[in-house]
Amino acid sequence: LSAGLCEELARYATFRWVLRRDRGYRPAVQVGLGHGGVEAMIFGLLALSSFAIVLLEPWAGALGASEADRAILHYAAHRYWETPWYHAALAGWERVCAMAFHTGASVLVMRAVTRGRLGYLALAVGLHTALDAPVVYASQMGLFWLYVLLTAAALGMALVAWKLDDA
């Protein structure tokens, strides 16, 4: 609920007060793709920095790392290389789904602004909450069902964005 409230209210404030001259379907899609894209870049940079640290692990001692730090790096590198390859692919798919979701949410929130109907904003918050809530139970759901949910949400929000195109 907190993510849905924070992100959708921030979107609403942006559309209402910052992008006053850029209202409509196209700016909503651009903001949604931008939001999802920036998140994807941030997570990508975090993954890249983890990979760089793992690659530097064999030279940690020469770089001045303590024995305790070398042990932590060794453990992290071991865990990194044990991770199945498809986890990285699933992480990429999750970002694609997130971008589709953010785009649909942006279209809904833009509609709340342009039509003066806060029900669209409430729907965006509710859908955001409905998507994020099951992630708390991901370990009980299993990866398959989690990604089925993410894919369904992405397709649903892409359909919402497409159907609400009033351009």
Side-chain angles (χ1 to χ4, degrees):
L1 178 61
S2 63
L5 282 171
C6 289
E7 289 186 28
E8 304 315 329
L9 290 174
R11 240 187 276 274
Y12 182 84
T14 299
F15 290 149
R16 180 94 168 87
W17 294 293
V18 178
L19 299 177
R20 281 185 271 187
R21 287 185 235 162
D22 294 319
R23 291 194 177 158
Y25 181 77
R26 175 172 250 144
V29 169
Q30 290 170 339
V31 167
L33 290 173
H35 180 164
V38 167
E39 281 185 353
M41 288 188 291
I42 291 169
F43 289 132
L45 288 172
L46 289 171
L48 182 62
S49 67
S50 296
F51 181 63
I53 289 169
V54 165
L55 290 179
L56 289 174
E57 182 264 333
W59 297 281
L63 294 171
S66 70
E67 186 68 35
D69 288 341
R70 287 197 310 267
I72 291 169
L73 280 171
H74 180 75
Y75 176 76
H78 180 70
R79 293 296 306 224
Y80 181 88
W81 294 116
E82 279 184 342
T83 303
W85 67 268
Y86 59 86
H87 282 202
L90 288 173
W93 180 247
E94 184 274 337
R95 287 290 89 203
V96 169
C97 292
M99 288 177 73
F101 186 88
H102 285 302
T103 302
S106 287
V107 170
L108 285 171
V109 174
M110 179 64 83
R111 213 163 234 225
V113 171
T114 59
R115 304 269 167 101
R117 299 175 77 189
L118 293 179
Y120 287 110
L121 176 61
L123 179 60
V125 171
L127 290 171
H128 203 136
T129 301
L131 176 63
D132 286 355
V135 174
V136 174
Y137 303 103
S139 62
Q140 289 103 352
M141 291 175 68
L143 280 180
F144 175 79
W145 291 110
L146 179 63
Y147 280 88
V148 166
L149 171 72
L150 289 172
T151 302
L155 291 173
M157 287 303 266
L159 183 63
V160 164
W162 180 61
K163 288 290 190 182
L164 294 181
D165 178 8
D166 23 275

